[in-house]
């Protein structure tokens, strides 16, 4: 029995879920967080090396820059997605309320005509 839910075959999803590694391709916001983290970490490490000439401290800056920027980009992206989801839900609720009100008014007007 195979179900197709949310663009993923459930059988495949269950198999992937059992694996121990993280599938970054299907993790929201991970791609941008990793790209910006790697970029900023690399640039900060190289710039610190050019400034000081100390390799170990430059690597510390690179790893620190990667970690901080990745976490910040991840959290900002997740917040924006949650806010968008909340706004969409609120909009749908308002539209549903408007439709319910309109339908009830139409039913009342039909009852009054009869």
């Amino acid at each position: 029995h195979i179900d197709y839910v949310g663009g993923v075959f459930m059988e495949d999803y269950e198999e992937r879920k059992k694996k121990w590694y993280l599938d970054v391709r299907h993790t929201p916001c991970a791609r941008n967080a990793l790209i910006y983290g790697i970029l900023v970490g690399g640039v900060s490490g190289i710039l610190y090396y050019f400034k000081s000439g100390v390799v170990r401290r430059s690597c510390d800056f690179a790893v620190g820059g990667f970690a901080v920027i990745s976490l910040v980009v991840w959290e900002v992206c997740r917040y924006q997605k949650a806010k968008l989801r909340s706004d969409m839900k609120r909009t749908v609720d308002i539209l549903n309320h408007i439709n319910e009100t309109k339908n009830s008014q139409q039913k009342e007007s039909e009852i009054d005509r009869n």
Side-chain angles (χ1 to χ4, degrees):
H1 175 63
I2 299 174
D3 292 329
Y4 187 75
V5 178
V8 175
F9 287 105
M10 290 307 291
E11 183 178 275
D12 295 339
Y13 175 74
E14 293 299 326
E15 288 177 16
R16 274 200 324 246
K17 197 168 137 181
K18 293 177 185 176
K19 293 183 181 176
W20 61 271
Y21 61 89
L22 178 66
D23 191 4
V24 177
R25 292 176 297 153
H26 299 290
T27 304
C29 303
R31 180 179 178 268
N32 285 344
L34 289 174
I35 288 173
Y36 286 117
I38 291 168
L39 181 68
V40 170
V43 168
S44 65
I46 289 171
L47 289 177
Y48 192 83
Y49 177 74
F50 286 152
K51 177 185 169 216
S52 68
V54 180
V55 174
R56 178 164 170 99
R57 191 71 175 147
S58 301
C59 291
D60 291 344
F61 267 83
V63 171
F66 166 76
V68 168
I69 296 302
S70 293
L71 287 174
V72 168
V73 170
W74 172 274
E75 290 299 325
V76 168
C77 179
R78 298 289 290 196
Y79 172 76
Q80 289 173 343
K81 282 187 175 289
K83 185 170 177 5
L84 178 64
R85 191 176 306 121
S86 172
D87 291 345
M88 287 172 48
K89 185 180 182 317
R90 188 176 330 121
T91 302
V92 168
D93 289 342
I94 290 170
L95 290 174
N96 285 338
H97 178 71
I98 290 170
N99 284 336
E100 288 172 4
T101 306
K102 188 188 300 184
N103 288 340
S104 65
Q105 288 175 352
Q106 286 176 350
K107 287 180 182 178
E108 288 176 6
S109 66
E110 287 176 7
I111 292 172
D112 291 342
R113 287 184 200 158
N114 294 330

